[in-house]
């Protein structure tokens, strides 16, 4: 059975992520143990709340290094919500800039929209060939709750590597809703809270592990 | 494409059992919250809300158990409100599996609680629940004409309900649950003026609650500015199904899931 570790660094409702991944067919452990996190078939990096608080929590369990070491070895990592945001170079909240893990260039900033947080079920526009959204209806909706996002995708595609697959969504303006980039995948929405559509997406990820 | 208007059933939970009273007085017992939550999920509910009306502290442990068991089998967001006094209560509910916690009376008594909870857990999981009514004749008016009540609508506070919603946003809440105590239980429709008045002063999502009695009541609430609509008894006693409400909204041109 595919073994997944949900990285426990004190952020959010880990139980939901654990249950949803289990339902999608994985054996799931919630842990901050470095060896467990390095050796799992897949690592989920959850995250809710403030960018700076998540980054501090992540560093406290050496999560940034765990992510880096896994990716260096081509081992899959899935970031969810703020767990996706911290993969970028930096986040700016309330005028304060915080360094992220820097796996992707770019800044996570406040969306320009009439109503924030962007809270509720929205559609997404995946690119052709997406694995993450395979088998999902184009009208499928996913549960978002966030005020900040990557409003641009800045990673240049190099000829040597498979280009990243970037999925966009819109709330007031366009933002990055999901990324599939080699072993590093992420969603701005919460698949663990997105009912059947979210379960399908998690199954799609688990099948690649 | 836009974010869908959410349709949210609310379950009133007392010592682990679901109840719903008309105007919060005559209570009727109607089942197991986990079973009902699963049924609402299957019907297409976009979120679930539990309002814990358990009176005694000793019975509150059953609430955490209900939240835990619900989070095990329902994969849509769950908000829990009722009886939250301090940051530690928020922490306990989030750990049990709640995605959001709604705070009502304790915030009226001590508004800083909202800031503390929002700073610690993030705005996205703190909901300010406002039980509001039109100021009764003969009592001192508020600028908006609406006031905050406590004790299930029985006690007026003299605090302007619209100002209070705006203050909640300043203090860091991520959402306003606006419950009209005049309309609650009447099944005569939402208080549209109240929704518009609050919508005009906040940029966080507004959930309209109180007064839903038929499918046709929901689109005007959205037109008045609600990002989500919440109802209890009409869903609970099967008078309306979630799907019917969504069909009605869709026909009115509202985006739903």
């Amino acid at each position: 059975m595919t073994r997944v570790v949900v990285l426990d660094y004190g952020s959010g409702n880990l139980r939901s992520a654990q249950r949803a991944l289990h339902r999608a067919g994985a054996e799931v452990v919630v842990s901050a143990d470095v060896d467990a996190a390095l050796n799992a078939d897949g690592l989920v990096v959850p995250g809710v709340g403030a960018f700076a608080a998540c980054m501090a929590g992540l560093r406290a369990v050496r999560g940034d290094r765990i992510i880096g070491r896994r990716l260096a070895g081509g081992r899959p990592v899935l970031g969810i919500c703020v767990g996706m945001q911290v993969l970028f170079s930096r986040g700016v909240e309330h005028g304060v800039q915080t360094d992220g893990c820097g796996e992707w260039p770019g800044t996570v900033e406040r969306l320009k929209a009439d109503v924030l947080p962007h809270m509720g079920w929205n559609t997404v526009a995946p690119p052709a060939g997406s694995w993450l959204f395979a088998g999902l209806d184009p009208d499928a909706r996913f549960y978002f709750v966030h005020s900040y996002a990557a409003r641009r995708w800045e990673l240049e595609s190099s000829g040597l590597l498979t280009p990243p697959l970037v999925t966009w969504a819109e709330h007031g303006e366009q933002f990055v809703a999901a990324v599939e980039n080699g072993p590093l995948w992420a969603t701005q929405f919460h698949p663990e809270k997105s009912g059947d559509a979210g379960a399908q997406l998690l199954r799609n990820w688990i099948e690649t592990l | 494409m836009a974010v869908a208007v959410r349709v949210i059933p609310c379950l009133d939970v007392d010592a682990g059992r679901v109840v719903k009273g008309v105007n919060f007085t005559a209570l009727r017992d109607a089942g197991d919250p986990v079973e009902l939550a699963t049924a609402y999920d299957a019907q297409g509910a976009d979120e679930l809300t539990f309002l814990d009306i358990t009176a005694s502290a000793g019975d509150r442990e059953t609430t955490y158990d209900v939240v835990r068991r619900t989070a095990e089998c329902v994969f849509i967001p769950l908000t829990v409100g009722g009886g939250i006094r301090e940051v530690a209560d928020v922490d306990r509910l989030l750990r049990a599996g709640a995605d959001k916690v709604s705070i009502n009376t304790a915030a009226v008594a001590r508004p800083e609680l909202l800031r503390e909870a929002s700073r610690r857990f993030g705005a996205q999981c703190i909901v300010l629940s406002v039980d509001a009514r039109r100021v009764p004749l003969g009592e001192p008016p508020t600028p908006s004409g609406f006031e905050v009540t406590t004790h299930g609508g029985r006690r007026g506070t003299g605090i302007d309900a619209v100002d209070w919603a705006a203050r909640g946003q300043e203090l860091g809440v991520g959402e306003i649950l606006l419950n009209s105590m005049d309309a609650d239980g009447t099944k005569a429709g939402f208080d549209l003026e109240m929704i518009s008045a609050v919508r005009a002063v906040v940029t966080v999502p507004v959930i309209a609650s109180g007064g839903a009695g038929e499918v046709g009541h929901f689109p005007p609430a959205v037109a008045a500015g609600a990002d989500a609509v919440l109802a209890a008894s009409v869903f609970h006693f099967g008078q309306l199904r979630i799907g019917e409400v969504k069909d009605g909204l869709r026909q009115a041109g509202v985006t739903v899931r």
Side-chain angles (χ1 to χ4, degrees), chain B residues 7 215 219 241-254 256-257:
Chain B
V7 178
V215 168
R241 294 177 66 81
I242 305 282
E244 289 177 292
V245 171
K246 288 194 170 181
D247 287 344
L249 286 166
R250 206 176 277 120
Q251 279 162 25
V254 175
V256 291
R257 178 169 71 113

Side-chain angles (χ1 to χ4, degrees), chain B residues 7-234:
Chain B
V7 178
I8 307 173
C10 175
L11 308 181
D12 291 6
V13 179
D14 185 3
R17 299 281 296 170
V18 174
V19 288
K20 173 61 191 180
V22 176
N23 279 331
F24 286 124
T25 47
L27 295 179
R28 289 161 67 177
D29 189 335
D32 171 29
V34 182
E35 229 171 275
L36 267 166
T38 310
Y40 283 135
D41 182 10
Q43 273 189 39
D46 296 310
E47 283 185 33
L48 293 166
T49 291
F50 284 170
L51 179 61
D52 180 17
I53 56 168
T54 307
S56 83
D59 286 339
R60 287 188 61 83
E61 206 45 53
T62 60
T63 305
Y64 298 119
D65 183 52
V66 164
V67 170
R68 242 174 252 125
R69 289 191 292 125
T70 305
E72 291 275 309
C73 55
V74 175
F75 298 95
I76 56 175
L78 172 64
T79 303
V80 184
I84 288 121
R85 301 264 165 267
E86 51 192 66
V87 168
D89 297 329
V90 178
D91 190 34
R92 216 169 298 142
L93 284 168
L94 294 175
R95 281 175 193 279
D99 298 290
K100 300 188 255 183
V101 169
S102 81
I103 306 179
N104 190 331
T105 312
V108 176
R110 199 175 70 81
E112 278 301 310
L113 175 61
L114 298 176
R115 194 196 301 273
E116 291 162 15
S118 172
R119 282 219 176 125
R120 170 125 177 237
F121 306 106
Q124 84 292 334
C125 68
I126 306 300
V127 183
L128 173 60
S129 173
V130 181
D131 287 346
R133 69 174 178 189
R134 288 158 188 264
V135 179
L137 281 175
E139 289 188 25
T142 61
S144 71
F146 299 103
E147 73 171 330
V148 177
T149 68
T150 59
H151 299 80
R154 292 191 304 276
R155 213 174 282 180
T157 62
I159 298 168
D160 189 293
V162 175
D163 287 350
W164 177 230
R167 182 85 202 287
Q169 175 171 314
E170 275 170 37
L171 289 166
V173 307
E175 199 167 31
I176 306 286
L177 168 55
L178 182 64
N179 189 29
S180 163
M181 303 314 288
D182 301 314
D184 191 73
T186 63
K187 296 189 168 58
F190 293 90
D191 189 330
L192 304 177
E193 285 176 31
M194 186 188 282
I195 298 167
S196 305
V198 170
R199 170 78 288 158
V201 299
V202 298
T203 56
V204 296
V206 175
I207 306 169
S209 161
E214 54 190 74
V215 168
H217 287 155
F218 291 86
V222 175
D227 301 283
V229 285
L230 178 143
S233 49
V234 285

Side-chain angles (χ1 to χ4, degrees), chain A residues 126-185:
Chain A
S130 164
W131 292 86
L132 202 49
F133 295 93
L136 279 157
D137 193 284
D139 298 331
R141 286 179 179 271
F142 298 90
Y143 191 81
F144 289 85
V145 49
H146 63 118
S147 297
Y148 299 81
R151 298 156 64 215
R152 280 176 295 279
W153 177 254
E154 297 178 12
L155 183 63
E156 298 285 338
S157 292
S158 115
L160 295 171
L161 300 168
T162 313
L165 296 174
V166 179
T167 296
W168 296 86
E170 192 179 329
H171 181 68
E173 61 180 329
Q174 290 231 311
F175 65 89
V176 178
V179 179
E180 299 156 61
N181 176 211
L184 184 57
W185 293 13

Side-chain angles (χ1 to χ4, degrees), chain A residues 56-82:
Chain A
L58 199 57
R59 288 221 167 86
V61 301
R62 305 170 77 195
D64 51 338
R65 297 182 58 187
I66 292 169
I67 293 167
R69 281 181 62 185
R70 283 190 63 96
L71 295 178
R75 313 272 290 157
V77 174
L78 176 68
I80 295 176
C81 197
V82 184

Side-chain angles (χ1 to χ4, degrees), chain A residues 13 15-16 19-20 23 48-50 114-123 141 143 145 170-171 192-195, chain B residues 1-4 6 46-47 72 75-77 96-100 121-122 124 174-175 199 203-205 255-257:
Chain A
N13 185 352
R15 194 170 183 79
S16 295
R19 291 292 308 164
R23 182 170 73 138
V48 296
D114 293 339
V115 175
L116 284 177
H118 172 218
M119 192 180 290
W121 300 77
N122 213 335
T123 51
R141 286 179 179 271
Y143 191 81
V145 49
E170 192 179 329
H171 181 68
E192 78 281 17
K193 285 286 152 190
S194 296
Chain B
M1 292 306 265
V3 65
R6 289 166 282 154
D46 296 310
E47 283 185 33
E72 291 275 309
F75 298 95
I76 56 175
D99 298 290
K100 300 188 255 183
F121 306 106
Q124 84 292 334
E175 199 167 31
R199 170 78 288 158
T203 56
V204 296
T255 301
V256 291
R257 178 169 71 113

